[in-house]
Amino acid sequence: MVVQPKAPGKPVSFASSKRRRNSFSIRGLYPKASELPPTEEVSVQPPIPFESLDNLKRPKVLIAGAGLGGLTLAILLHKAKIPFKLFERAREVKPLGSALSLGAGIAPLFKQMGIYDEFLAIAKPYNEMRIFNDKLKPEYTMDCSWGTTVGYPNSIVSRPDLYELLWRHVPKESVFLDKRVVNFEDDAEGVLLRCADGTSYQGDVLIGADGAYSAVRSHLYKVLKAKGLLPDVDDTPLPFHTVSLVGQTEELDPNEFPDLNMELCQVKSVLGSDNMCTWITLTTKKNTVCWMVIQYLSKSSSKSDDRFCNSEWGPEATEAMCNEVRQFKVPGTDNKVLTLGDYIDRTPKELIVKVMLEEKVFDTWYCNRTVLIGDGQSYRWHWRPECHPRRCHAGQLAEHAPVPNISDLDRVFSEYYLERYPVAKKAFENGQLFSKNLGKSMMSSVVRAGLKRLPRWMWKRMIIKMVTSRPQASFLPLVEEDAALKVVHQPSLHKTSAIVNNRLWLTKRMPVKSKLTT
C-alpha cells in the first residue's frame, strides 16, 4: 500500500511566490528565517540510547546514477557508515566533458571528504577570463582574483579528471554497472528498484542522481501526475536553447602550445560575429586543453519538439559539427593564431561529445521514500564561475536512527527542499547571468556592455555574495574557515551537529568542536 504524502509536488511555495523567490540574505544564498514559508514546528527528537553509534541500524540507500553528484553522495554515505548501492546504466566508466570551475563553495566539503589535496593536484588556479572578438581583438577581461578574500583559489579542473578522483574513493563492491533503471515502487515498508535486465533491489531510500533525463524523476512524475499531484510547471519537457561541443586534448607539448607553461590557467573566450557560436579554451595542470563550442539556437527546443531529430546527436553529427567549427580562430601566445582544429585533431574522437544544454529548475524534488539531487532536480549548464554543491542531507540520514519511516523522511526531505531550493534557484540565475555574458542575444550585448563599465569593487562584491555559502557535512569533523569574509553554513548543519554532539556525549566520546556561523 502506497502511503500518500502530505503535499507531494508542492512541499513549499517558493515557486509560486516571486517575492519569496527573489528575497535572499545579502550575506549568502540561504533565506532568512523570516523569509521562509510557514512550516510545522519540528522539535529535535531525543537521542536514542545505545552504547555505540556503530551498532545503530542504518537505512539502506539506493542511488541511481554514478555521475559527479552520485559519486559525491556515495563517498559521504560511506564515511557515515550508511549502507548503499550505486547503480549506473553504462557498462563501463567513461568520463566525458570539458572543464569545471570550482572554488570556495566546494573546498570545505572536499577537505572533510579527505580529497582536497588530491583535487589541488589536478586543478589549476585562474585569476581572469579574457574575452575576444572573432578577429582575436581583446574585448574585456573578467577579474576572478578573489581567492585571497574568500579563502580558497578559483581552480579549473577537467571533468574527466574530477570524475576519476571521486571514483577512486567509492567502494567498488557497492557499485553496479550496466543497470538501467526502469521503474520503482515505494511504500511504508521500503522501496523496490527495478532494472532493465530484470533484476530488482530493495532499500529504505531511493536517491535519483541520474542526470537531466532522470529515469527516477520520470517515473516519480508519472505516478504523481496519475494522482493529480504533479504541478503544471513540472509537467513540461526540458527546454534547451544551446548546443555544445566539448572535448579535452591529449597531453600537449608546452613548446608548441606556450600557454601550458603559464602558472595560472589561461581561460579564453571568443565571441563569434558571423555565426551563432562562442568558443572557450582552458589549459589544465596535466598540459591538456579543455575546449568547448556553444551554439545558440534561434528558438528554444526540447526532445519532445517535432523539430528534434535523433540523427543530430550521434557520432556522425558530432563529427559534422567538428568540421563546421574547426576553422574558428583561437588566441595563442605571442600573437600566435591557432584554430579549434588544432585542438580537435589532438583530441581522441571518443572523448568528443555533442550535448544539449538544458535550462530548468524543477519544483518537485521528493515524494515518499524517493528524492532527487543534482541534474535530476535542477539543470545542466556549461562552464560557470562557481558550482554550488546540491546534496541530499546525508548528515540527517546518518543521525536519524533507526530506519526512518515515511513521516520521518517527509520531514527530512521537506527540510532539504526548504534549504536547497533557494540555493539551486539562485545558482541557476547566476548561471544564466554568466551565460548571457557569452551569448548572442541583444540582452547579452547589454550585459557585456554593463560588465565592461562595472567598477571592480562592485564586481568583487557580486562574486563574494556567490561564494559565502559553504555547506559542510555535520557528521564529519568540521573545517574551520580562514577567510576574510564571514561565511554562511547551511541551517541544517547546526541542527544535526547538535544531535551528533548529544549522542557522542551519551557514548562518552568527545564532541565535534567548531565555530559555526549563524
Side-chain angles (χ1 to χ4, degrees), residues 272-322:
S273 59
D274 298 331
N275 52 61
M276 294 294 289
C277 294
T278 293
W279 49 101
I280 306 171
T281 59
L282 311 95
T283 57
T284 74
K285 205 163 191 176
K286 291 187 174 182
N287 284 346
T288 65
V289 173
C290 292
W291 55 269
M292 64 187 75
V293 180
I294 306 167
Q295 182 181 39
Y296 296 86
L297 306 179
S298 57
K299 293 182 180 180
S300 174
S301 185
S302 70
K303 277 195 170 182
S304 62
D305 197 309
D306 292 337
R307 295 169 296 165
F308 185 85
C309 182
N310 285 325
S311 63
E312 296 180 2
W313 306 98
E316 295 82 6
T318 299
E319 184 176 358
M321 189 170 179
C322 286

Side-chain angles (χ1 to χ4, degrees), residues 135-308:
K135 306 299 182 185
L136 301 189
K137 300 297 183 182
E139 289 284 325
Y140 60 99
T141 298
M142 294 176 62
D143 180 25
C144 306
S145 58
W146 58 81
T148 304
T149 303
V150 302
Y152 298 95
N154 303 300
S155 299
I156 293 293
V157 60
S158 77
R159 189 184 184 282
D161 288 345
L162 179 61
Y163 189 96
E164 290 175 359
L165 166 59
L166 296 174
W167 177 256
R168 288 199 301 270
H169 289 266
V170 176
K172 302 306 179 290
E173 63 273 14
S174 298
V175 180
F176 299 81
L177 299 177
D178 197 17
K179 295 291 182 179
R180 182 171 65 86
V181 174
V182 177
N183 56 49
F184 64 88
E185 292 181 18
D186 60 350
D187 54 28
E189 302 302 320
V191 59
L192 179 67
L193 182 70
R194 298 188 182 91
C195 298
D197 60 1
T199 57
S200 60
Y201 301 85
Q202 291 185 322
D204 300 302
V205 178
L206 172 61
I207 310 289
D210 47 343
Y213 293 95
S214 166
V216 173
R217 187 188 68 238
S218 177
H219 183 71
L220 175 65
Y221 283 13
K222 180 180 179 181
V223 172
L224 291 177
K225 183 178 181 180
K227 297 179 180 180
L229 298 174
L230 184 67
D232 292 339
V233 68
D234 286 338
D235 191 22
T236 57
L238 266 174
F240 64 93
H241 301 82
T242 53
V243 173
S244 183
L245 184 72
V246 301
Q248 179 183 197
T249 69
E250 59 193 7
E251 185 174 346
L252 303 177
D253 182 0
N255 293 323
E256 187 177 358
F257 299 91
D259 274 0
L260 298 172
N261 290 315
M262 303 291 186
E263 183 178 355
L264 297 177
C265 173
Q266 301 301 298
V267 184
K268 300 176 181 180
S269 176
V270 181
L271 307 173
S273 59
D274 298 331
N275 52 61
M276 294 294 289
C277 294
T278 293
W279 49 101
I280 306 171
T281 59
L282 311 95
T283 57
T284 74
K285 205 163 191 176
K286 291 187 174 182
N287 284 346
T288 65
V289 173
C290 292
W291 55 269
M292 64 187 75
V293 180
I294 306 167
Q295 182 181 39
Y296 296 86
L297 306 179
S298 57
K299 293 182 180 180
S300 174
S301 185
S302 70
K303 277 195 170 182
S304 62
D305 197 309
D306 292 337
R307 295 169 296 165
F308 185 85

Side-chain angles (χ1 to χ4, degrees), residues 242 278 294 296 359 381-385 428-441 444 447-448:
T242 53
T278 293
I294 306 167
Y296 296 86
E359 304 174 60
W381 193 246
H382 55 273
W383 181 89
R384 54 190 182 275
F428 174 78
E429 293 168 356
N430 290 339
Q432 285 189 317
L433 173 63
F434 282 97
S435 70
K436 285 184 173 63
N437 174 46
L438 302 176
K440 310 297 293 184
S441 65
S444 296
V447 170
R448 285 194 290 271

Side-chain angles (χ1 to χ4, degrees), residues 377-388:
Q377 39 107 297
S378 189
Y379 68 107
R380 187 166 58 185
W381 193 246
H382 55 273
W383 181 89
R384 54 190 182 275
E386 183 63 40
C387 296
H388 292 277

